[in-house]
Amino acid sequence: MDIRNVVSLSGGLLLLGAVGYFWGGIGKSPLAASSAVARGLPDYEVTGIRGIRTDEFGRVADTLSARTLRHYPDSDRGEIEAPVLQYFRDGSLRWQLTADRAETFRDNREIRLSGNVRAGTLGAEPVISLTTSMLTADRDAQTLGTGQPVLVRSGQSTLGSQGLHVDIRRGILELPAQVRGNYVLPSR
């Protein structure tokens, strides 16, 4: 083989390599993920979640567990499947809420439970249970509220109301409108 052919072949391969390197993407950094999040898509999904919040003294204030949690950054909204929210007062479990699903707002401080919502007191007398189709829980204020029809049971008493407000810290349950039912005075 003639040296001119070797040099010509080497030059051609070098030229082809340079073109491939700069034009064909060889040697370029991989495409970076877009810094803009796609609208309407979740930025993360967690399966089998359990979160614990504590108060200023390090005691458990509330826990939130769920089958799945999906977060949407556009609206800072989360979708939760099968949520279980538990509230504590002075380190003791006081209320438990369950539902088919929920949405979170305000950096997970507000939770709107919907679909077969059930709530009830635990570890305190008298035992109170309630059912409704929708209930909003404010995790910071430890309050529950709804404007939907609600059924409240305690002992032999059953009350229905259009709406409800519960202040867990103060131990107050208010039925604001159209209250009907049977209230049985507790025995002394």
Side-chain angles (χ1 to χ4, degrees):
M1 203 166 172
D2 190 5
I3 189 78
R4 286 180 290 188
N5 289 341
V6 172
V7 170
S8 179
L9 183 62
S10 297
L13 287 175
L14 182 61
L15 181 62
L16 185 60
V19 168
Y21 182 80
F22 290 105
W23 183 61
I26 300 171
K28 287 187 178 180
S29 62
L31 294 176
S34 172
S35 60
V37 177
R39 288 256 186 257
L41 296 176
D43 58 344
Y44 63 84
E45 181 174 331
V46 181
T47 302
I49 188 169
R50 179 170 163 86
I52 299 172
R53 286 183 13 147
T54 58
D55 63 15
E56 63 272 12
F57 304 109
R59 297 180 299 212
V60 176
D62 66 57
T63 64
L64 175 63
S65 57
R67 185 179 312 135
T68 61
L69 166 67
R70 237 174 262 102
H71 182 262
Y72 296 86
D74 311 7
S75 56
D76 189 28
R77 179 180 66 86
E79 292 178 352
I80 302 173
E81 292 179 25
V84 177
L85 179 60
Q86 295 179 322
Y87 279 106
F88 293 76
R89 189 174 67 204
D90 300 324
S92 298
L93 182 59
R94 295 295 183 202
W95 279 83
Q96 177 170 296
L97 294 76
T98 63
D100 294 337
R101 63 197 155 280
E103 289 184 291
T104 65
F105 301 93
R106 297 186 316 124
D107 196 26
N108 296 327
R109 293 188 314 262
E110 180 180 313
I111 299 176
R112 292 184 194 156
L113 299 109
S114 60
N116 198 27
V117 179
R118 299 193 180 286
T121 59
L122 301 170
E125 291 293 329
V127 174
I128 299 168
S129 66
L130 60 96
T131 57
T132 186
S133 62
M134 200 234 25
L135 186 69
T136 300
D138 184 322
R139 295 175 75 189
D140 292 337
Q142 286 199 345
T143 58
L144 310 174
T146 186
Q148 299 297 312
V150 62
L151 183 64
V152 179
R153 291 189 169 108
S154 180
Q156 297 175 351
S157 301
T158 302
L159 300 172
S161 173
Q162 185 66 36
L164 166 95
H165 180 78
V166 177
D167 186 327
I168 294 170
R169 288 185 180 142
R170 295 181 11 206
I172 296 173
L173 185 144
E174 298 172 330
L175 302 172
Q178 300 176 15
V179 179
R180 289 187 165 81
N182 297 318
Y183 180 74
V184 179
L185 290 172
S187 60
R188 293 184 182 209

